Amino acid sequence: MTDTQELTIVVIDDEDIVRHSLCDQLEDMGYCVVPAEHGAIGIKKIQECHPDLILTDMRMPEMGGLEVIKKSKEIAPDIPIVVVSGAGRLDDAVEALRLGAYDYLVKPIKDFAVLEHVVNKALENRRLIEENRNYQLHLEQQVEDRTQALASANLELTEHKQQLEQMVKVRTQELQESLLHLTKTQAHLVEAEKMASLGGLVKGVAHELNTPLGICITATSLLQTNMQKLNEVFKENKLTPSHLKQFFESACQAQDMVSAQLNRSAELIQHFKQVVVDVSCAQVTRFNLADQLNTVIDNLISEIELPRCLIIIKGDKNLVVDHDLGAVSKVIENLVINALQHAFPKQGEGEIIVGISSQNNSVQINVTDNGEGMAADVVDKIFEPFFNNHRSIGGTGLGLFTVYNLVVHSLKGKISCSSDVGKGTRFSINFPLDAR
């Protein structure tokens, strides 16, 4: 890796203590550090010195961290950006990563080894990207040189024209296949990296629990204060029915607040737990697939208020599989609930068909609805965590991401989605018939 003294890092933070601390630590690591008091100055420094890495705070006067990311990507899209923020908000982290930030750290940084690891990893990632770009340019130059050589040879050896053209055609096909293989491999590595980094991102979701728990603390503190006041009135023999009435009203309000927020916390935790698929805990069970799907649908009908929608199970009613019954049930349950919420949001009439079949020791399940459908850009993001195309309906945006994890990791299968606006949506799932 390049000597750190040759590498420049711009540190943008409006807190003097934090900025100086980061600069000192990075200088101790051997980097050349350029400090900036806020976003506007940081952009100017970036334009002047064209650094190798940018560290920026999120909440700053004049220009916030998200704006710094946008402008930095316009100036130099290849420079990696690491956000170091004390806000700890999940939506900030997701938005920063969406805009192109490489990573997100929460202040205060208690272990600077974490900072050093992230900085080294970001710089190494940039170096690999640059090497890959140079390598591609080198390959293109080699292809161009080779093409010119073949053209010259073709002019000199006209009698071998047909043979040379065939050689060029074969060589071009080999290069295209190699490039396609490299592209697929790169996409697989990118997806694996996203899945690995998601574990760290989900840990930050714990900050979402601060709001309901904070409300609970406030409510209990208020209740404690009212109890103390009531006790003082009682000791002074001034207790009246109105005092008791006020106390009971405030106590009921506090209890309602605590109960509601604790239920909300439990709901959040349950959703977050579903994101992590523990393959080691999966139990392989032999069961009739159609019967189990009927049970899932019947339970949904008894637990939730369904719109005017008909749910039909079609296909091989005698198909028996050896697999994780819980995972299969959860996948179908989430897909049906997703269709009920998003395909028919206006409570209109509709139809959901769950088709099951088997071929070549594989199970094929197709969940199809005739609802509103989705645009192509929505389909491309449908399995991404926290993606929700209907915010007004609610939800955490983890339902289909959980489905993807269950199918890929628990069932060792594949899932795809196809949809057209106004023509409905189809989820296709394929997994082995026997998990043993």
Side-chain angles (χ1 to χ4, degrees):
M1 189 172 179
T2 305
D3 189 356
T4 57
Q5 292 182 350
E6 301 175 3
L7 302 176
T8 302
I9 300 177
V10 170
V11 177
I12 308 172
D13 199 304
D14 61 324
E15 295 181 71
D16 293 340
I17 295 178
V18 175
R19 185 175 65 255
H20 292 157
S21 176
L22 289 174
C23 290
D24 291 341
Q25 289 295 329
L26 291 171
E27 287 175 350
D28 291 341
M29 296 175 195
Y31 297 104
C32 177
V33 183
V34 178
E37 293 80 2
H38 53 72
I41 295 179
I43 293 299
K44 184 177 180 181
K45 299 286 188 181
I46 293 168
Q47 292 172 327
E48 291 174 354
C49 67
H50 198 78
D52 299 281
L53 178 68
I54 300 170
L55 262 67
T56 180
D57 191 12
M58 184 65 70
R59 305 294 181 186
M60 296 181 293
E62 296 191 26
M63 184 185 296
L66 295 179
E67 188 66 19
V68 168
I69 296 174
K70 293 179 183 177
K71 292 187 176 295
S72 298
K73 289 301 178 181
E74 293 173 359
I75 297 171
D78 293 335
I79 299 178
I81 301 172
V82 176
V83 177
V84 183
S85 175
R89 293 179 55 186
L90 176 62
D91 52 353
D92 283 346
V94 174
E95 182 63 12
L97 295 176
R98 187 189 70 79
L99 292 175
Y102 178 79
D103 208 340
Y104 187 100
L105 298 177
V106 178
K107 294 190 296 188
I109 300 177
K110 298 181 179 179
D111 185 358
F112 281 98
V114 175
L115 174 65
E116 182 177 8
H117 173 74
V118 172
V119 169
N120 291 339
K121 189 176 180 182
L123 292 171
E124 176 68 9
N125 185 67
R126 184 190 182 188
R127 183 185 68 79
L128 292 175
I129 291 174
E130 290 177 350
E131 287 184 357
N132 184 55
R133 184 185 297 111
N134 293 333
Y135 181 68
Q136 288 181 343
L137 292 174
H138 178 66
L139 285 178
E140 291 174 359
Q141 186 62 44
Q142 284 186 330
V143 172
E144 183 178 355
D145 295 341
R146 182 59 179 163
T147 302
Q148 292 177 353
L150 288 174
S152 299
N154 188 45
L155 293 175
E156 296 173 1
L157 304 171
T158 54
E159 64 274 20
H160 296 153
K161 180 179 179 180
Q162 296 297 325
Q163 181 182 359
L164 288 175
E165 288 179 348
Q166 184 62 28
M167 289 175 62
V168 171
K169 181 178 180 180
V170 172
R171 182 58 178 162
T172 302
Q173 180 65 29
E174 290 176 352
L175 290 173
Q176 289 177 343
E177 291 176 355
S178 298
L179 181 60
L180 179 61
H181 177 71
L182 288 173
T183 302
K184 290 182 177 179
T185 302
Q186 185 179 26
H188 176 73
L189 291 174
V190 170
E191 181 180 359
E193 180 67 17
K194 286 183 177 179
M195 295 301 296
S197 62
L198 179 65
L201 182 60
V202 171
K203 293 180 181 177
V205 174
H207 290 286
E208 291 288 335
L209 297 174
N210 284 344
T211 298
L213 293 180
I215 294 175
C216 289
I217 293 173
T218 302
T220 54
S221 298
L222 178 62
L223 181 59
Q224 183 179 13
T225 301
N226 290 338
M227 289 178 65
Q228 291 175 349
K229 291 180 179 179
L230 183 67
N231 187 40
E232 291 174 359
V233 173
F234 175 75
K235 290 180 178 179
E236 295 173 358
N237 293 323
K238 296 180 180 180
L239 185 63
T240 65
S242 62
H243 287 135
L244 289 175
K245 181 179 180 182
Q246 292 176 358
F247 173 75
F248 287 130
E249 288 177 352
S250 64
C252 289
Q253 291 176 355
Q255 190 274 334
D256 291 341
M257 291 172 61
V258 170
S259 178
Q261 296 306 317
L262 289 179
N263 288 335
R264 174 57 179 164
S265 299
E267 180 183 355
L268 286 170
I269 292 173
Q270 186 62 30
H271 282 296
F272 300 152
K273 286 172 60 179
Q274 291 175 0
V275 172
V276 180
V277 177
D278 189 355
V279 179
S280 63
C281 295
Q283 294 184 352
V284 177
T285 306
R286 171 166 290 190
F287 59 93
N288 182 287
L289 184 57
D291 291 345
Q292 181 59 29
L293 298 187
N294 276 312
T295 301
V296 172
I297 301 303
D298 291 341
N299 290 338
L300 282 177
I301 294 174
S302 64
E303 292 176 2
I304 64 176
E305 182 180 352
L306 299 180
R308 290 178 294 176
C309 180
L310 183 62
I311 304 176
I312 303 173
I313 297 178
K314 293 184 177 181
D316 187 355
K317 300 298 177 65
N318 298 317
L319 179 59
V320 176
V321 300
D322 293 279
H323 238 297
D324 184 350
L325 184 147
V328 174
S329 302
K330 193 63 180 178
V331 166
I332 301 304
E333 178 183 323
N334 279 13
L335 289 177
V336 172
I337 291 177
N338 181 76
L340 294 173
Q341 291 180 339
H342 300 291
F344 313 105
K346 298 180 181 179
Q347 300 294 314
E349 295 183 356
E351 185 177 81
I352 300 174
I353 298 177
V354 181
I356 56 176
S357 61
S358 63
Q359 186 177 8
N360 298 327
N361 294 321
S362 294
V363 179
Q364 181 71 33
I365 302 179
N366 297 316
V367 181
T368 309
D369 66 68
N370 60 350
E372 292 186 345
M374 297 176 288
D377 60 331
V378 176
V379 174
D380 291 339
K381 302 177 183 178
I382 199 68
F383 295 117
E384 293 184 5
F386 310 110
F387 178 75
N388 191 340
N389 194 38
H390 293 279
R391 291 291 181 185
S392 59
I393 298 177
T396 62
L398 295 172
L400 291 180
F401 178 65
T402 302
V403 168
Y404 179 87
N405 275 349
L406 288 171
V407 172
V408 174
H409 299 292
S410 287
L411 303 182
K412 305 300 181 184
K414 300 178 181 179
I415 182 170
S416 61
C417 175
S418 59
S419 182
D420 290 311
V421 177
K423 296 183 180 180
T425 301
R426 178 189 182 97
F427 287 93
S428 298
I429 304 169
N430 184 278
F431 57 88
L433 189 65
D434 191 344
R436 292 186 172 88

